[in-house]
Amino acid sequence: MKSRLVASAALSAIVLLGATGCTFITPQATKTEYAASDGVNISDADGPIDVRNALVIATEDGAVGNFIAAIVNPTQDSATLTIALKGSEPFTITVPAGDTISLGADEEPLRIIDLDTKPGATVEMHFQSGDSTGVKAAVPVLDGSLPYYADLVPTEAASTPEPSPTPTDTAAPAPSN
């Protein structure tokens, strides 16, 4: 009887080990780092600033876009981030020490004229801060089809204002004799 009890306990231990043993060789999903939103995270080991959830919300034709991101400066000194796109003037943003700037939430997004990238694609951007040489990242371009992005779609590029009509003298002409 005692041997049956030992055999039963051994069999239970083998079944239990066999049922849970796969977790010993399977990677844990919670240890995998990823961007949990629609944008991408950009970190530069040599620069002081990190960029979180970077994305561009563009017009339907991809001509104009708004750059949206959280720019984080965890250091004790103010730092400047330079963002460059091919064919555009670079943008610079100074972030106070230990602070975060949220473009598109707390601050106005950066308006990109002549984006030339339709929603659904990515645009290559270069991010540089501090003494770093910077990093390039493929930033997703989205549209305003999701309700929480609808207010972030840029209006078309500002056109040259039309000249306003010159006021005319409305007085009646003098009678002729």
Side-chain angles (χ1 to χ4, degrees):
M1 181 75 145
K2 192 173 186 183
S3 63
R4 279 188 177 174
L5 186 60
V6 170
S8 176
L11 183 60
S12 295
I14 290 172
V15 168
L16 185 62
L17 183 61
T20 61
C22 61
T23 60
F24 290 120
I25 58 172
T26 304
Q28 294 178 345
T30 55
K31 294 204 175 236
T32 303
E33 290 188 29
Y34 66 97
S37 187
D38 297 325
V40 293
N41 295 332
I42 297 111
S43 295
D44 182 0
D46 297 329
I49 292 183
D50 292 323
V51 180
R52 299 286 177 248
N53 197 30
L55 55 106
V56 175
I57 306 295
T59 55
E60 189 175 314
D61 64 358
V64 182
N66 280 334
F67 178 71
I68 313 295
I71 302 169
V72 182
N73 179 4
T75 69
Q76 295 181 4
D77 297 316
S78 179
T80 300
L81 174 69
T82 302
I83 304 168
L85 287 98
K86 188 176 187 180
S88 291
E89 289 292 318
F91 298 98
T92 57
I93 302 162
T94 300
V95 184
D99 203 0
T100 299
I101 293 179
S102 294
L103 300 173
D106 301 331
E107 300 285 332
E108 287 295 314
L110 299 179
R111 186 179 179 92
I112 305 168
I113 306 293
D114 297 327
L115 176 64
D116 195 30
T117 306
K118 289 187 177 184
T122 59
V123 63
E124 186 172 284
M125 301 176 84
H126 184 262
F127 298 86
Q128 188 275 325
S129 64
D131 295 333
S132 158
T133 57
V135 294
K136 288 184 180 179
V139 176
V141 179
L142 306 175
D143 62 11
S145 60
L146 295 172
Y148 44 89
Y149 292 142
D151 293 342
L152 297 170
V153 176
T155 56
E156 290 297 323
S159 61
T160 307
E162 292 291 321
S164 58
T166 311
T168 57
D169 188 35
T170 57
S176 60
N177 293 21

